[in-house]
Amino acid sequence: MRDRQREETRKKLYHAAIEIFCRDGVSNCRIEDIALKAEVSRAAFYFHFPSKDDVLLELLREAEHPTIDALNAMPLDAAIETVFETVISTTADFWGAADRSRLLVDVFGVSMRRTTILADREAEVVRAAVGRRFEKAAERGELSPMIPPEVLSDFYLLNIFAAMASWGVQPIMPLKDMLAGVTHLFMNGAKPPGAAMTAVPFQKG
Amino acid sequence: MRDRQREETRKKLYHAAIEIFCRDGVSNCRIEDIALKAEVSRAAFYFHFPSKDDVLLELLREAEHPTIDALNAMPLDAAIETVFETVISTTADFWGAADRSRLLVDVFGVSMRRTTILADREAEVVRAAVGRRFEKAAERGELSPMIPPEVLSDFYLLNIFAAMASWGVQPIMPLKDMLAGVTHLFMNGAKPPGAAMTAVPFQKG
DNA sequence: ATTATCTATAGATCTATAGATAATGC
DNA sequence: ATTATCTATAGATCTATAGATAATGC
């Protein structure tokens, strides 16, 4: 009963916040407008969300669900290209929505501040799931043996995320095409086909 | 006389702001502390810098100077690997300083919001200079002909910047090594040597 | 009676701007 | 006299918290 009421207020605040963020921008908007839309006091917002960042973190977690579900529906030995297609299409579907795109730069910032890139991976579900697929792909020889698969996986997701943040400010093409381009570049590199591998080694930390 | 005074106040505020940003974090710090350290009124800060973001943008421009100078000192036909080495070492020298590193996530955010990735390139000097080197390298066949050189160049800088933002939060290895690893991956891709190129085409906007 | 949820509100900080001061230009 | 630089300050907004209310547990 109390729990239900709490969750209801929280959800109302969450949806109101996302709506106001999209309308006014994350840093410009007033908490008061969020509280007004959710029909609670301003302080109730702070009771449920210590800061605006916490709302964005929840949005980020919500955005991960379609990706996770799609990955879980795939066999563990699926080709790495299939993993890419899944990540790209689920991610682009979620964030490609016109009103959400302007949140991407801030979401990227939150994701950098709040998650632990290259450490503590199990806490982030998409990161862990994609990481497992990269490990399997590396075992099958689909990835370069020069770089540990979990590092490759984190860099891939970092690339995807940075490209989305950039796209959120300058949507010069459909998001899906942008992510496909980034993925292609990630796999094949910028070197011309047939050229010798450059000599810079990757140092592990 | 007036101009000199103005510049002096501006510089005092700029340096005070960077110092306080490093000490307290960009979003946590109080403008009052910056003004106190610069020995001017709080409103003087707003006169010179409409927002904290403008201070960070100035820091970003300052950070570009060593890179620009080093690039200008190089012949236009220098190998693309030399360009990479120059960008990496000048950038890592500037941002690798322990006290500056915590500003990187915010600087990345500002750079996304304030600059026009994949458009209007001449406004940003490093971007323009690196872009020219990429074009020359593409003409010489040092880069994949599948992706336009200016797109490659922008993606390279985006990768470098995203990696720095990530490193600013989790400095798991020397920044220089991190950037060298990113560069290696950018050039060679994650595909195992000898594998056929994947079929995802890059769509131009 | 105790605790969780939420409101009211005090005090801190920011944003916007009217006005003071001193340099510049006529 | 006009303009640029800076200060003082009003009003807006945020952050922190004391207290009200209503559900829970004994």
Side-chain angles (χ1 to χ4, degrees):
Chain A
M1 182 65 233
R2 184 148 67 176
D3 283 2
R4 193 164 7 124
Q5 179 59 39
R6 178 199 166 99
E7 270 317 297
E8 201 173 305
T9 307
R10 189 185 163 82
K11 278 269 169 281
K12 273 203 297 185
L13 276 165
Y14 171 72
H15 288 113
I18 298 295
E19 198 176 325
I20 301 289
F21 285 174
C22 291
R23 193 191 69 188
D24 299 344
V26 175
S27 54
N28 303 323
C29 80
R30 301 182 318 155
I31 303 291
E32 169 120 52
D33 288 342
I34 296 171
L36 279 173
K37 187 170 279 288
E39 294 170 306
V40 292
S41 77
R42 218 173 60 250
F45 175 84
Y46 288 104
F47 176 76
H48 287 284
F49 301 96
S51 73
K52 292 173 182 176
D53 271 13
D54 294 86
V55 178
L56 291 177
L57 194 61
E58 194 147 320
L59 178 66
L60 179 59
R61 298 288 171 242
E62 188 193 330
E64 293 183 334
H65 286 151
T67 308
I68 284 295
D69 293 346
L71 283 177
N72 285 343
M74 272 169 46
L76 245 184
D77 62 349
I80 195 71
E81 266 81 19
T82 316
V83 174
F84 290 146
E85 279 160 27
T86 303
V87 170
I88 290 171
S89 61
T90 52
T91 307
D93 283 351
F94 187 92
W95 290 108
D99 52 338
R100 275 180 188 139
S101 61
R102 73 181 301 194
L103 306 183
L104 274 166
V105 171
D106 292 292
V107 172
F108 180 83
V110 173
S111 134
M112 289 290 103
R113 279 187 293 270
R114 293 294 182 87
T115 70
T116 49
I117 297 290
L118 298 173
D120 195 26
R121 47 188 22 266
E122 284 309 315
E124 296 137 58
V125 280
V126 163
R127 197 172 151 231
V130 172
R132 276 193 296 275
R133 306 298 176 138
F134 267 69
E135 273 166 39
K136 292 287 174 194
E139 285 169 16
R140 294 191 308 266
E142 292 176 30
L143 292 170
S144 165
M146 286 195 60
I147 306 177
E150 73 274 14
V151 174
L152 274 184
S153 164
D154 280 349
F155 273 124
Y156 177 64
L157 292 177
L158 183 60
N159 274 9
I160 289 288
F161 223 135
M164 284 204 293
S166 161
W167 179 88
V169 183
Q170 300 271 331
I172 51 168
M173 61 176 87
L175 179 54
K176 199 164 179 169
D177 295 346
M178 176 110 172
L179 298 185
V182 169
T183 302
H184 179 265
L185 189 57
F186 175 80
M187 276 304 272
N188 297 291
K191 204 163 41 63
M197 183 165 286
T198 58
V200 187
F202 193 92
Q203 312 257 4
K204 212 187 163 182
Chain B
M1 181 66 231
R2 183 147 69 178
D3 283 2
R4 191 165 6 124
Q5 179 58 39
R6 179 199 165 100
E7 269 318 296
E8 200 174 305
T9 307
R10 189 186 164 83
K11 278 268 169 283
K12 274 203 298 186
L13 276 164
Y14 170 73
H15 288 114
I18 299 296
E19 198 176 324
I20 301 289
F21 285 175
C22 291
R23 193 191 68 189
D24 299 344
V26 175
S27 55
N28 303 323
C29 79
R30 301 181 318 154
I31 304 290
E32 170 120 50
D33 289 341
I34 296 172
L36 278 173
K37 186 168 281 286
E39 294 173 305
V40 292
S41 77
R42 218 175 59 253
F45 175 84
Y46 288 105
F47 177 76
H48 287 284
F49 301 97
S51 73
K52 292 173 182 177
D53 271 13
D54 293 86
V55 178
L56 292 176
L57 193 61
E58 193 147 319
L59 178 66
L60 179 58
R61 297 290 172 241
E62 187 193 330
E64 292 183 335
H65 286 151
T67 307
I68 284 295
D69 293 346
L71 284 178
N72 285 342
M74 273 170 45
L76 246 184
D77 61 348
I80 194 70
E81 266 81 18
T82 316
V83 174
F84 290 148
E85 279 161 26
T86 303
V87 170
I88 290 170
S89 61
T90 52
T91 307
D93 283 350
F94 187 93
W95 291 108
D99 53 338
R100 277 181 187 139
S101 61
R102 74 181 301 196
L103 306 182
L104 274 165
V105 171
D106 293 290
V107 171
F108 180 83
V110 172
S111 133
M112 288 291 104
R113 278 188 292 270
R114 293 293 182 89
T115 69
T116 49
I117 296 288
L118 297 174
D120 194 28
R121 47 187 24 264
E122 285 309 314
E124 296 137 58
V125 280
V126 163
R127 197 172 151 232
V130 172
R132 276 193 295 276
R133 306 298 176 141
F134 267 68
E135 272 165 40
K136 293 288 175 193
E139 284 169 17
R140 295 192 307 266
E142 292 176 29
L143 292 170
S144 165
M146 287 195 62
I147 306 177
E150 72 275 12
V151 174
L152 273 184
S153 165
D154 281 349
F155 272 125
Y156 177 64
L157 292 178
L158 183 61
N159 273 10
I160 288 289
F161 223 135
M164 284 204 294
S166 160
W167 180 88
V169 184
Q170 302 271 332
I172 51 168
M173 60 177 87
L175 179 54
K176 198 164 178 168
D177 294 346
M178 176 109 171
L179 298 186
V182 169
T183 303
H184 179 266
L185 188 57
F186 174 80
M187 276 305 273
N188 297 290
K191 207 162 40 64
M197 183 165 286
T198 57
V200 187
F202 192 92
Q203 312 258 4
K204 210 185 166 186

